[in-house]
Amino acid sequence: MNHSSNRIVQQSPARLFITFTLIGLSGFGGVLPWARRTLVEQKQWLSSQEFNAILGLCQLVPGPNIVNLAVCVGQRFGGIRGAFAAVGGLMIAPMTVVILLALLYDHYGQFEQVQGMLRGISAVGVGLIAATGFKMLKEELSYRPMLIVIALSIVMATVFHLALGWVVALTLPLALLFAWNKAK
């Protein structure tokens, strides 16, 4: 689907499975950047705004954000079968790789070279997540009043150490007000 169109082009469960398998295998420790790149930039199934909105919803419900995203995108483009296909694609291959890596780590994890490799991989993961955050932030900066919501959220989470539920509950009324004013 070209994101300039409002029409949703259905995808087969097989295509959703393959797409989410590739997303799942693209990044360990954080596939969200790869999901955004695939769904927004490459396949153009979602616009940036749609991705941000779906991800926002996925962060509110229990469970891993990326699995929730796979359910939402799979259901949107393929119904219930699409949701199962997307989640299956996201989980099966990476779980197999993780199990194999766990077996290898069990045998070789005590070596300093392995420990160094793992520290390097974690730094890459942090960088990818930060890059995705900046891409999403860029979209939100197009409407300046939302900067207040972003700033309040950061302060509540970092200074006051409030849990996600409290941050959302406290900032949601203001965010809805700003969104409503923007839509007028």
Side-chain angles (χ1 to χ4, degrees), residues 59-60 162-172:
Q59 291 176 328
L60 294 176
L162 293 180
L164 175 64
W166 284 109
V167 173
V168 170
L170 294 171
T171 58
L172 184 61

Side-chain angles (χ1 to χ4, degrees), residues 94-104:
M95 281 179 21
T96 303
V97 172
V98 166
I99 289 169
L100 292 173
L101 287 174
L103 293 171
L104 287 172

Side-chain angles (χ1 to χ4, degrees), residues 97-181:
V97 172
V98 166
I99 289 169
L100 292 173
L101 287 174
L103 293 171
L104 287 172
Y105 183 78
D106 188 43
H107 291 287
Y108 303 107
Q110 72 275 13
F111 296 112
E112 184 60 36
Q113 296 88 345
V114 172
Q115 296 297 319
M117 246 179 16
L118 293 174
R119 282 190 296 276
I121 290 170
S122 67
V124 170
V126 169
L128 288 171
I129 296 294
T132 299
F134 286 127
K135 282 184 181 180
M136 292 173 67
L137 180 62
K138 187 171 85 172
E139 184 65 41
E140 295 304 320
L141 292 178
S142 65
Y143 185 58
R144 298 284 183 203
M146 284 298 182
L147 288 174
I148 296 168
V149 175
I150 293 168
L152 282 172
S153 298
I154 291 170
V155 168
M156 288 182 200
T158 59
V159 175
F160 298 108
H161 305 287
L162 293 180
L164 175 64
W166 284 109
V167 173
V168 170
L170 294 171
T171 58
L172 184 61
L174 187 59
L176 289 173
L177 175 68
F178 290 154
W180 184 70
N181 284 335

Side-chain angles (χ1 to χ4, degrees), residues 20 31 58 62-74 83 86-87 90-91:
F20 277 90
V31 296
C58 293
N65 296 336
I66 190 65
V67 174
N68 296 341
L69 184 78
V71 170
C72 290
V73 172
V87 172
L90 184 68
M91 303 297 289

